[in-house]
Structures are given as C-alpha cells and as structure tokens.
C-alpha cells in the first residue's frame, strides 16, 4: 500500500513540476511578447544607427491591384493624380484581377490623363496581378497600394525620400482606418497605436518586420516574383527585402486613409485568411535567417511569438488550472485570466 501511495505521490509531484514549468515559461514568453520586447527596443534605440531620409526623386510606378473596385476606383485615381510628385516621373498602373463589375470602364476614363490599365480577364489572385504589373512597371521604385487607400499629397514623396539611404530597401507609412465605419473601430485603432510605436523603434534599430499593404514603396531591383498562391503578399515582399539585407523604414508622417472593415464578421474572415498565410510563411521559410541575428530576433519577438500567442494562452491557463491547489498566487492568476476572457467575450 505504501508503495502505491509513494508512486501516486511521485506522479502527482512530477505533474505539478511540469505544470509549474509550463506556467512560468508561457507567462514569461507572453510578458516578453507584450511588454519586454518594447522595453528592449526603446533601450537600444538610442544607440542605433538609424536611417536618414534625403533628397531623392527617382521614377516611381504606382501599382493599384483591383478586383471589383467600382465603388472606389474613380476616387483612387483622382487621388493618385493629385499626389505631389513630378508627373513625368510617376507611372500609374491599374492591375485588374478578373474584375466583373465596372472597374475597367471607370478606370478607362482616366487613360487620357496618363493612367495605364492592365485588364487581366481571369481572376488569378493578387500575387499574380502584382507580378504581371511589376513586369510592366518602368519606375526605379515601386509603390504598392490598395484601391481603397487614399494618400496624403506628400505621402509618396516622404516614403521615397528614405531610399536615399543605400541601406534602405523599402518604406511604409501610416494607413489610418476610418473607424466610424466599423463596429469594432476603437479596439482596432488602439491596437494600431501600439503597433506603430513598436514599428518606429524597430525602424531605427534594425528593420520593420513587414509593411502596411495599403501603402509602401520598395526598390524595383529587390522585387522577386511571388508564388501565385501567396496569401500574405505584402509580408512576403517585405521578407524579400530583409533577406537581401536591406532595411524597411517606418515613416510616421506619411499618411493615408483606408475604409475600415465594416463588420466584425468580415474582419474575422480576414484574420482567418491571415492565419492561413502565417502557416504558409513558416512552411516556406519566408523570414530572416538566423545568420541575420538582429533581424531574426526582431522576427521572433514581433511576429513568431504573436503567432504563437493563442497556443501560449491555452498552455498557460491549462497549466494554471492544474496548480490551483498550490496557493493564492495561482488562484489569483487563474481568476485574472478568466476575468479577461469573460470581458473579451462580452466585448
């Protein structure tokens, strides 16, 4: 009997030790992901050799991938034509990916004002449309954007100016969401405020780990054709830049506006697609090499740990539940987690 009791006690002790390790490791990783990484970035930012914008005015190809964008394409082209950049150095390309509405007919009204249209009859996906549009681009610099994103007049000039620094391969700016159009706008806005603060520090220390797909520029010579099934085309292009040992800069004064996703369910579907894209990125190895230690650290800290976040949270609360008998610290931690999840569900 004593032997059985000893064996049961030993197994219980082993389970408790494992639960303790899982709880504190996941808690530490979550703390680092949410707070620690930002603290480290701010601490080393003062020592960084940050990029410097300069007087640089190359030829630019503004590429607008479009699929059934009749609601916004006219406003987008008016906006593009009003950009404060030498018109003779700005090529505007509309790449229609199998549009079945009036996108093409509306865009054709701007042909006499210098807008070029690539009418791809078959819908193949954004990545293929971008690949073909880049092949037709004549600019030294590419500007990729969304049809529903409207640039501030000086946004393009500001972004391009960072390419005066030979270390910089791409630059992105601030795409503000029209929060009043969505039913979750305040939370989205707060998230982006935090994200942009991290991006500003990352930009000075090493490189951004991505771009805002709504508006960014890159050197054409750094672009590599994307696989046709790419789900996160903007992230894949950003990783092309950093893997070629070029930096991506964030300009907090280069503004554009974008209509927010109207309903939370539509946003949920977009996030599901992003999650599938994350799996694709990891399987293909589209991230900085460990031989690029600074950029690899930034990728793990800013991207990989966030992508692991749901699994870390599940592991943390599961191990916490196994430790409820270990005292008030674990009971309080469990109660706090349940409170946060309840608030999230109610929200």
């Amino acid at each position: 009997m004593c032997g059985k009791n000893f064996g049961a006690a030993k197994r219980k002790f082993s389970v408790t030790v494992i639960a303790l390790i899982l709880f504190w490791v996941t808690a530490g990783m979550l703390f680092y992901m949410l707070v620690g990484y930002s603290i480290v970035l701010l601490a080393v930012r003062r020592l960084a050799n940050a990029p410097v914008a300069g007087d640089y005015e190359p030829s630019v190809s503004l590429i607008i991938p479009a699929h059934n964008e009749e609601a916004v394409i006219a406003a987008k082209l008016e906006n593009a034509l009003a950009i404060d950049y030498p018109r003779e150095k700005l090529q505007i390309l509309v790449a229609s990916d199998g549009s079945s509405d009036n996108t093409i007919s509306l865009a054709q009204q701007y042909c006499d004002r210098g807008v070029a249209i690539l009418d791809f009859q078959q819908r193949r996906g954004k990545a293929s449309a971008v690949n073909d549009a880049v092949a037709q681009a004549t600019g030294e610099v590419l500007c990729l954007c969304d049809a529903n994103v409207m640039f501030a007049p000086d946004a393009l000039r500001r972004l391009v100016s960072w390419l005066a620094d030979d270390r910089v391969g791409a630059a992105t700016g601030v795409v503000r969401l029209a929060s009043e159009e969505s039913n979750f706008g305040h939370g989205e806005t707060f998230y982006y405020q935090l994200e942009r603060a991290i991006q500003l520090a990352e930009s000075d220390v090493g490189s951004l780990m991505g771009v805002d797909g709504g508006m960014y520029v890159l050197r054409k010579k750094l672009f590599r054709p994307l696989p046709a099934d790419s789900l996160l085309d903007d992230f894949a292009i950003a990783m092309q830049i950093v893997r070629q040992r070029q930096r991506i800069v964030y300009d907090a004064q280069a503004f554009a506006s974008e209509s927010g996703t109207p309903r939370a369910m539509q946003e949920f579907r977009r996030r599901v697609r992003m999650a599938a894209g994350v799996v694709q990125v990891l399987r293909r190895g589209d991230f900085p090499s460990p031989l690029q230690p600074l950029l690899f650290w930034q990728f793990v800290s800013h991207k990989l740990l966030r992508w692991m976040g749901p699994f870390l949270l599940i592991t943390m609360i599961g191990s916490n539940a196994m430790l409820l008998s270990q005292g008030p610290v674990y009971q309080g931690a469990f109660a706090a987690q349940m409170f946060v999840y309840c608030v999230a569900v109610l929200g």
Side-chain angles (χ1 to χ4, degrees), residues 43-77:
V44 301
R45 184 181 180 186
R46 299 177 184 177
L47 307 175
N49 184 14
V52 179
D55 186 13
Y56 186 53
E57 202 176 77
S59 57
V60 177
S61 293
L62 177 66
I63 297 175
I64 308 169
H67 173 73
N68 291 348
E69 300 287 359
E70 64 178 7
V72 297
I73 194 64
K76 175 62 180 178
L77 292 176

Side-chain angles (χ1 to χ4, degrees), residues 254-273:
F255 296 114
S257 61
E258 176 185 10
S259 298
T261 306
R263 307 300 301 175
M265 184 53 68
Q266 290 173 279
E267 176 66 5
F268 175 76
R269 294 192 187 101
R270 186 177 76 88
R271 300 282 174 155
V272 169
R273 186 172 183 273

Side-chain angles (χ1 to χ4, degrees), residues 17-38:
V17 170
I18 293 171
L20 282 167
I21 293 172
L22 289 174
F23 176 81
W24 288 109
V25 168
T26 53
M29 293 173 71
L30 287 166
F31 176 82
Y32 173 75
M33 176 187 72
L34 296 171
V35 180
Y37 177 54
S38 302

